[in-house]
Amino acid sequence: MLLNIGKRVLQALVVLIGVALLIFIMLRIVPGNAIITMMGEHANPEAIERMTAELGLDKPFYVQFYTYITGALRGDFGTSYSLHVSVSSLIAQAFPNTVCLALAAAVVAWLIGIVCGIIAAIKENSLLDRLFMGFSLFGVSMPVFMVAMVLQYLFAYKLGWFGISGVSDWRGFVLPAIALGWNSAGSIARLTRSTLVEVLQEDYIDTARAKGRRRMGVILFHALRNSMLPVITMMAVQLSSLLSGAVICETIFSINGIGRLAVDAISGRDIPLLQGTILLSTALVILGNLVADCLYSVLDPRVRKGD
């Protein structure tokens, strides 16, 4: 078990370095000059050359990448071109807001998705089943930015129950969390229903019923426990995706998070800041997949035997 986890950690580290190299290459082949963007089009060529040398951009590519990746492994992502502040400090300030938003969205997604999926499975092929599955399909299909703007218009602008943008207290996370968790709730509901319906057809479920167990007891203590394995895996992956994919919600609701930093870095061609946010988001996704693999191995003994 520990050997398998060690192998997956090593693989994750290799993937992370590979992604960092790919990002490093792509950001440097994009047309334009970040130094000119930072200093202005009418900057003195000598000043541009001097700034390029100070930032180490005149060195060979492999030297630049080695310097960056060794610093990143120590937690040093360089200095923002536009804000002249350490990228690590900017990420440290913004990351708590992203974590709060992602956790709130995950709670919304998990509660709505699991409850709707269980009810739909119990009431298979009923009107309630079709209603919940239609709701989940609507959630999966509707873009996050559309849900965010509809919620913003109805509950913030029209009803005035929440602020339109910004976060001053916990109420500022309600609408962004619903908008961000809507899509994930639909996916969880559909997976919960399909796996639970499949498990309810197994022979050991019929055996439990034949022993006189009540229907809800069989569902909660036998069927649900076994059907939740793939759902838990999806939940772990979704949490990392929510942490790294809150760009749209943070932009629409003006939340100072990692996604908002990435958008500002793109508009200002702030390469160190953009590299730092993308690398952190990639690391979160890889970590989520790693945790999901480990959880699945722990929860399902068959996976350990297969490994």
Side-chain angles (χ1 to χ4, degrees):
M1 180 68 183
L2 293 177
L3 181 61
N4 290 329
I5 293 177
K7 289 180 179 178
R8 290 189 173 101
V9 170
L10 183 60
Q11 291 172 357
L13 184 60
V14 173
V15 171
L16 187 60
I17 294 176
V19 170
L21 177 60
L22 184 62
I23 295 169
F24 204 82
I25 294 173
M26 292 180 63
L27 290 179
R28 278 154 180 78
I29 63 175
V30 173
N33 190 313
I35 303 301
I36 295 177
T37 303
M38 178 177 61
M39 301 183 65
E41 296 181 359
H42 303 289
N44 190 324
E46 295 180 356
I48 294 175
E49 185 177 350
R50 184 173 61 254
M51 182 62 68
T52 302
E54 290 178 0
L55 295 175
L57 300 179
D58 59 336
K59 296 179 180 178
F61 171 81
Y62 62 89
V63 175
Q64 294 183 44
F65 179 72
Y66 176 78
T67 303
Y68 176 77
I69 199 64
T70 52
L73 292 175
R74 297 193 305 268
D76 181 12
F77 296 99
T79 303
S80 169
Y81 289 168
S82 56
L83 301 175
H84 307 290
V85 179
S86 170
V87 172
S88 301
S89 63
L90 292 173
I91 291 176
Q93 292 173 6
F95 192 58
N97 289 330
T98 300
V99 171
C100 291
L101 175 58
L103 290 178
V107 170
V108 170
W110 296 345
L111 287 178
I112 295 176
I114 292 175
V115 171
C116 290
I118 292 174
I119 296 174
I122 294 173
K123 302 293 184 179
E124 185 183 5
N125 296 326
S126 67
L127 178 61
L128 198 59
D129 178 20
R130 294 187 179 91
L131 179 64
F132 282 159
M133 287 303 97
F135 172 79
S136 66
L137 181 61
F138 184 67
V140 172
S141 305
M142 194 168 182
V144 174
F145 73 88
M146 182 62 70
V147 177
M149 289 189 291
V150 169
L151 293 176
Q152 201 174 43
Y153 177 77
L154 291 177
F155 296 101
Y157 178 71
K158 283 294 186 181
L159 298 177
W161 293 354
F162 304 95
I164 293 180
S165 62
V167 176
S168 56
D169 54 22
W170 65 270
R171 297 173 72 246
F173 286 105
V174 174
L175 295 183
I178 295 174
L180 187 59
W182 181 284
N183 183 275
S184 299
S187 301
I188 291 177
R190 297 178 71 83
L191 181 61
T192 301
R193 179 195 179 279
S194 62
T195 53
L196 186 54
V197 167
E198 183 179 350
V199 170
L200 286 173
Q201 297 174 357
E202 296 290 338
D203 293 337
Y204 68 89
I205 298 297
D206 295 333
T207 303
R209 288 173 178 170
K211 290 181 178 179
R213 300 283 178 86
R214 293 184 178 181
R215 186 165 183 260
M216 287 306 298
V218 172
I219 292 172
L220 293 177
F221 297 105
H222 294 277
L224 187 60
R225 182 175 62 182
N226 291 321
S227 65
M228 286 300 291
L229 289 174
V231 178
I232 291 174
T233 304
M234 174 180 279
M235 289 164 62
V237 175
Q238 281 186 346
L239 181 57
S240 64
S241 300
L242 291 173
L243 281 167
S244 60
V247 178
I248 296 174
C249 280
E250 289 178 354
T251 303
I252 292 176
F253 291 97
S254 299
I255 299 174
N256 182 27
I258 299 298
R260 184 81 181 276
L261 277 181
V263 172
D264 293 341
I266 292 172
S267 60
R269 196 173 171 77
D270 194 334
I271 291 179
L273 183 57
L274 185 57
Q275 286 178 165
T277 54
I278 294 177
L279 195 59
L280 177 62
S281 299
T282 304
L284 292 174
V285 172
I286 293 174
L287 180 62
N289 283 275
L290 179 62
V291 170
D293 288 342
C294 296
L295 279 176
Y296 209 85
S297 299
V298 171
L299 295 173
D300 193 347
R302 293 171 299 178
V303 176
R304 292 199 298 270
K305 291 178 181 180
D307 289 340

